Amino acid sequence: MTPASLSEALRTALTDAVADGTFVLDAGDIPSVVHVERPRQREHGDWATNIAMQLAKLAGVAPRVFAAELARRLAEVPGVGAVDVAGPGFLNIRLDAAAAGELARSIVEGGAEFGRGDLLAGEAVNLEFVSANPTGPIHIGGVRWAAVGDSLARIMQAAGATVAREYYFNDHGGQIDRFARSLLAAGRGQDAPEDGYGGAYIAEIADQVLAGAAAAGQPDPRTLADDEAQEAFRAAGVELMFAEIRKSLHEFGVDFDVYFHENSLHESGAVDRAIARLRELGRIYEADGATWLRTIDLGDDKDRVIIKADGEAAYIAADLAYYLDKRERGFDRIIIMLGADHHGYVGRMMAMCAAFGDKPGTNLEILIGQMVNLLKDGQPVRMSKRAGTVVTIDDLVDAVGVDAARYALARSSANSMLDIDLDLLTKATNENPVFYVQYAHARTTNVARNAAQLGVQRADGFDASLLDHPAESVLIGSLSEFPRVVAQAAELREPHRVARYLEELAGSYHKWYDQCRVAPFGDEQVTDVHRTRLWLNDATRQVLANGLGLLGVSAPERM
């Protein structure tokens, strides 16, 4: 019996009690999903619910009386062993060993589909993350969003949503000009401009621009007039830098469905179309020679200039056009991940959403991520040999590998500061969380391999009632939580919940491994106990693999 089936049994008991007049409630009073959770103390049972306390007052019945009637009805459900009323009206539910253990077979047979659901079915989600400027390698803050964003996309897809991963390629504006001037200076052997970019990568990109021009039989860009030379280095340099960014992300396990160029918004007339739409909605006015968006009445701290008095588009003009473009592409939910330095940006973006007649928080969500600090030998790591001033995605991967990097970045709430101990992530010990979880998966594989060599085969028998050891009850309970954790992580946009769950599951498995043998010992004959435990072992392996897959982390078979 799964939490979902128990929840449905509770709802059926409530519906029946209303139908026969035992409880006087409206049909709408009964929740579509009756929430059940694991008791803090295992001796209280397998599951608990406070539904009686929620509905008793509406029914005009004392909570314990309501709970007692619900307990009587639930106890008649096959697979339910006992139901106790506790405290002011809690229900503590204990399942039969057979009903609980049946989950092991369900998981194995469900395979990669176990844990997937339909919470977000029908939602078309555009998830924009990383979107680093193509002026240098991705720094550690962007790497955090790469890990968290890709994990969130996987988790939301597992909850039934259609998700498009999108990278906003900012190839328009002053930072691109500074990048081009920096490349030109490097190509001519000059010092970087005062407001330019430094680091060895600038010289490398400049050399590639020169080599590409020579290979194509084009004039040496350095010999052109300054404006032409700068444009030559800009055009080729931005493409080279962005190709490097895409390569680094791909090697990190992150690929985007859409790479959207900011420049296209200005060239295609999208900005003008967005302004026209807002004008139709009565949100545009002219003042002081400029074009303004009225947002102060929508929660913004002031109205916003869209087109300056000199005719130049303000930065928010592209935001307006980009948001409208996404909505016109059919996305009903747009999620944008931004760094902590963009916190002040949220109000104007939500006002922009409302200006189009959409609902902030529903059609547009903005997630803010906090800073990441890397530590080595107890000291902060602040410099990259190649980038000069920041630690990059390649620095982190070179130090600890893709799996450790992705897991470490995804296992904490993105809204909290994060310290990553590089020394810890390279240790093959239980202190290292990614090792701890991956080792549990490798151990399940090893157990299955050894069992097969000794003649233990799942196909030869399964008796769920034999899974009655306390450690098995705990492990089964942990496994049953996986679908709920995935749904909650999707709903709250918090991938770290999956990582923390996997660590708890790994702990339950390691304890079970120490107390319950799958393979026969010595001359012991193979029995259904061994076979059924192999089902439970393999169910754990499946859930660990499914969970690691949601985080973009491998599930090794040997370590």
Side-chain angles (χ1 to χ4, degrees), residues 446-457 558:
N446 188 56
V447 166
R449 193 162 43 240
N450 291 341
Q453 291 173 354
L454 294 171
V456 182
Q457 300 289 337
R558 298 177 186 271

Side-chain angles (χ1 to χ4, degrees), residues 29 77 117-118 142 159 187 222 394 451 488:
D29 294 332
V77 174
D118 58 4
R222 294 171 297 186
D394 296 326
Q488 191 175 57

Side-chain angles (χ1 to χ4, degrees), residues 230-287:
Q230 182 175 318
E231 174 56 26
F233 275 98
R234 185 205 65 78
V238 167
E239 286 301 316
L240 288 166
M241 190 71 256
F242 194 56
E244 182 178 318
I245 289 172
R246 292 177 66 163
K247 178 175 180 290
S248 294
L249 286 168
H250 176 73
E251 292 172 351
F252 197 60
V254 179
D255 292 294
F256 289 85
D257 301 297
V258 179
Y259 292 93
F260 194 98
H261 291 249
E262 180 189 2
N263 212 35
S264 69
L265 295 171
H266 299 273
E267 294 175 347
S268 67
V271 170
D272 293 335
R273 288 196 300 274
I275 293 173
R277 174 72 65 83
L278 290 166
R279 197 180 295 278
E280 291 172 4
L281 295 168
R283 283 285 158 190
I284 298 295
Y285 66 95
E286 315 294 331

Side-chain angles (χ1 to χ4, degrees), residues 99-116:
E102 213 31 74
L103 180 68
R105 179 157 58 186
S106 297
I107 293 172
V108 172
E109 292 175 347
E113 291 300 305
F114 182 75
R116 303 181 74 86

Side-chain angles (χ1 to χ4, degrees), residues 183-184 187-188 206 208-214 218-234 236:
L183 293 176
L184 175 57
R188 288 176 170 174
Q208 291 177 51
V209 171
L210 295 173
Q218 298 170 348
D220 185 332
R222 294 171 297 186
T223 64
L224 301 175
D226 287 352
D227 286 350
E228 292 181 56
Q230 182 175 318
E231 174 56 26
F233 275 98
R234 185 205 65 78

